[in-house]
Amino acid sequence: MSNLDQLHADASAIFNHALKACDIPAAFDRHLRFEGKTLIRQSSPLLKPTTIPLDKYKKILVIAFGKAALTMTSALLDRLPPKIPFRGVCSAPEVPQKHTWRIRYYAGGHPLPNAESFKAAREALRLLKGARKDTFVFFLISGGGSAMFELPRDRRISLDDTIAFHETLIASGATITEINTVRKYFSAVKGGRLALAAPHAEKLSLLLADVPLKDLGAVASSPTLPDRSTPQQCQQILDSFHLLEKFPQTVREYFESLHLGSSSPPAEPEAIEHSQFDTLLSNHDFVNAARDHARSLGYHVIIDNTCDDWDYRDASQYLLKRFHELRREFPRLCLLSSGEVTVELESATGCGGRNQHFALATAFELEKNPDDLVVILSAGSDGIDGNSPAAGAIADPTTIARARAYRFDPEGTLDRFDSCTLFSALGDTIVTGPTGNNLRDLRILLASE
């Protein structure tokens, strides 16, 4: 095996190991256990466990949504004691073939909401509005829930206009935190409003965090956590990216009617009562698992998440510069960078996603030093990169030359956002299928000498 082939294999092994290490059922077992009908929460090894006697509640509700909703729902139901009278809603990428009649399943849309996203939100609100003090609610929340679980506050806004609203935000070049700030003011189930639908019920939100831990409010646009954003921040984002003029008329009129300069956040901290929160898995778990496996392969590992939410071109330049600086001291090096890069989309795009787009842009830089054996892998933990069947791709100094040999136009491919087609032809896509998890993206830069 050549040095370049070995780097390809090592990068793939590091990514796949990190995926396997972030097992959702195992995370449930670290944080929750049942003794009879009493729930024992162990939110941290450093904290004393808390107990919740579920048998004192007449109703148990399970509300799950996001890319990991099926896995999370299955893990919880497998652990619930028998004869617990639960009902619920699950909005996930697909409806499982085998499921309990106690849960209504919906195939919510992603990255754009669909009719099922609306139905799931309506059904959840219906259940929650009937909740009283004798109700306990499990919220199972993961990334992707912003689209899979959606309902506009203004009933005059149609599904088509809601889709256009989400599409405009995604293509704007704004960061995920900025996008979710705007979504909170648009939605009937975001910014803490889902929790406010059942103000007197006891609530436990279990999160799979696809955002930095300092910004948990961005997970699925914070449906059950207090909103820390301000109306002024929302207005600033609308102005900075010239969004109002791009929104459908009904959405534009809705935001103009809010008078954001003088309004309050959707759900201020003191408004959400009887709520507990626990992060089952986060991006830190994902990247730390990658770090440990890279070390086992003999690499010196550096983690640098500085370029989270940067434009993909700036992120590529930064990481390569940082990598080459570090190699002066550590020739056998693995540089890990987690988070997401941003890409401003044109109206017509091909097949691909931000990870493959980043990898192809980086390949042009690697081509400039063909004798410098460096490999870059960029992929998403959910197994899905944009509208493609791949999770991401691997690039090296030969990528561009090999693409031209196959009669690709790499520059045109980048312009058309059609990177999956190119990487598929080269055999350099990372294909995992949907993982049932979502802990952000991971970029791996490797050199062995």
Side-chain angles (χ1 to χ4, degrees):
M1 182 181 288
S2 70
N3 287 343
L4 201 56
D5 288 338
Q6 186 63 59
L7 289 173
H8 274 249
D10 286 352
S12 296
I14 292 166
F15 179 73
N16 289 326
H17 175 86
L19 282 181
K20 292 177 182 177
C22 293
D23 180 71
I24 292 175
F28 265 82
D29 291 335
R30 287 194 298 272
H31 290 259
L32 305 171
R33 72 177 191 275
F34 289 93
E35 293 182 359
K37 292 186 177 181
T38 298
L39 172 62
I40 312 296
R41 281 189 60 219
Q42 184 72 60
S43 57
S44 166
L46 303 177
L47 299 177
K48 184 179 179 180
T50 59
T51 61
I52 303 171
L54 293 183
D55 54 358
K56 78 174 189 177
Y57 298 99
K58 291 183 180 179
K59 292 197 299 184
I60 305 294
L61 298 181
V62 178
I63 310 295
F65 47 93
K67 293 180 182 178
L70 286 181
T71 314
M72 295 180 78
T73 300
S74 177
L76 176 63
L77 298 189
D78 286 347
R79 287 156 179 76
L80 273 182
K83 298 183 179 180
I84 290 287
F86 69 89
R87 296 288 188 277
V89 170
C90 178
S91 185
E94 60 184 6
V95 174
Q97 292 184 347
K98 294 182 179 180
H99 53 78
T100 172
W101 62 270
R102 294 177 179 272
I103 301 287
R104 292 194 176 186
Y105 290 86
Y106 301 88
H110 191 274
L112 302 174
N114 60 12
E116 294 286 285
S117 306
F118 273 33
K119 290 178 182 178
R122 286 195 184 102
E123 177 62 14
L125 288 173
R126 185 188 70 80
L127 290 174
L128 291 169
K129 287 176 180 177
R132 301 292 182 263
K133 290 182 179 180
D134 62 358
T135 305
F136 188 89
V137 186
F138 288 97
F139 290 111
L140 310 179
I141 304 169
S142 55
S146 292
M148 293 180 192
F149 191 79
E150 176 63 297
L151 194 66
R153 292 180 68 201
D154 190 333
R155 295 183 180 182
R156 294 173 297 179
I157 299 175
S158 67
L159 173 60
D160 286 344
D161 283 353
T162 300
I163 292 171
F165 163 72
H166 278 255
E167 195 168 33
T168 300
L169 287 175
I170 293 169
S172 68
T175 67
I176 188 61
T177 299
E178 291 170 328
I179 288 171
N180 284 349
T181 295
V182 175
R183 285 168 169 166
K184 291 174 187 178
Y185 289 83
F186 171 86
S187 176
V189 293
K190 296 176 173 58
R193 291 193 180 95
L194 194 64
L196 292 178
H200 303 298
E202 292 294 329
K203 299 171 282 288
L204 173 60
S205 295
L206 301 175
L207 308 176
L208 254 62
D210 65 334
V211 297
L213 290 179
K214 65 181 176 61
D215 193 22
L216 286 178
V219 180
S221 304
S222 188
T224 63
L225 277 69
D227 186 20
R228 304 291 180 180
S229 71
T230 67
Q232 291 76 18
Q233 287 172 334
C234 180
Q235 185 65 61
Q236 184 177 9
I237 295 164
L238 293 174
D239 294 341
S240 296
F241 295 92
H242 307 287
L243 290 170
L244 284 180
E245 63 200 57
K246 301 173 185 176
F247 288 157
Q249 182 177 347
T250 57
V251 177
R252 182 170 63 251
E253 291 175 350
Y254 164 74
F255 276 103
E256 290 172 345
S257 73
L258 288 182
H259 304 294
L260 288 168
S262 59
S263 62
S264 299
E268 296 179 346
E270 61 272 16
I272 296 181
E273 299 178 329
H274 309 289
S275 290
Q276 302 177 55
F277 311 93
D278 203 349
T279 302
L280 298 180
L281 284 169
S282 74
N283 177 252
H284 291 281
D285 298 301
F286 185 49
V287 83
N288 287 346
R291 174 202 62 197
D292 293 345
H293 194 62
R295 285 176 176 170
S296 76
L297 296 175
Y299 292 94
H300 182 86
V301 182
I302 300 291
I303 299 172
D304 187 338
N305 300 331
T306 303
C307 56
D308 184 20
D309 279 337
W310 285 18
D311 177 84
Y312 74 97
R313 291 160 296 197
D314 296 334
S316 175
Q317 294 288 334
Y318 171 80
L319 288 175
L320 285 174
K321 182 175 184 292
R322 176 90 165 116
F323 187 74
H324 290 307
E325 289 172 350
L326 290 167
R327 282 187 68 197
R328 296 169 190 164
E329 185 176 357
F330 309 107
R332 186 171 175 82
L333 177 66
C334 172
L335 177 61
L336 300 175
S337 179
S338 66
E340 298 174 358
V341 297
T342 63
V343 178
E344 186 171 356
L345 300 178
E346 301 297 333
S347 56
T349 61
C351 179
R354 60 177 175 258
N355 286 292
Q356 292 162 92
H357 205 60
F358 170 87
L360 183 55
T362 306
F364 283 102
E365 297 300 318
L366 297 178
E367 184 192 30
K368 296 175 183 178
N369 298 288
D371 296 327
D372 194 8
L373 299 186
V374 176
V375 160
I376 161 97
L377 181 152
S378 185
S381 59
D382 58 358
I384 302 167
D385 190 29
N387 64 355
S388 79
I394 299 181
D396 63 48
T398 72
T399 296
I400 300 301
R402 287 187 289 128
R404 295 193 199 282
Y406 277 91
R407 300 190 177 182
F408 277 94
D409 170 17
E411 291 83 0
T413 298
L414 193 67
D415 291 342
R416 293 190 304 274
F417 202 73
D418 195 29
S419 49
C420 185
T421 306
L422 182 150
F423 282 116
S424 295
L426 298 181
D428 286 339
T429 51
I430 304 297
V431 179
T432 63
T435 63
N437 209 330
N438 190 24
L439 299 172
R440 311 196 87 195
D441 301 340
L442 182 64
R443 289 167 290 281
I444 303 169
L445 284 77
L446 288 183
S448 60
E449 58 182 34

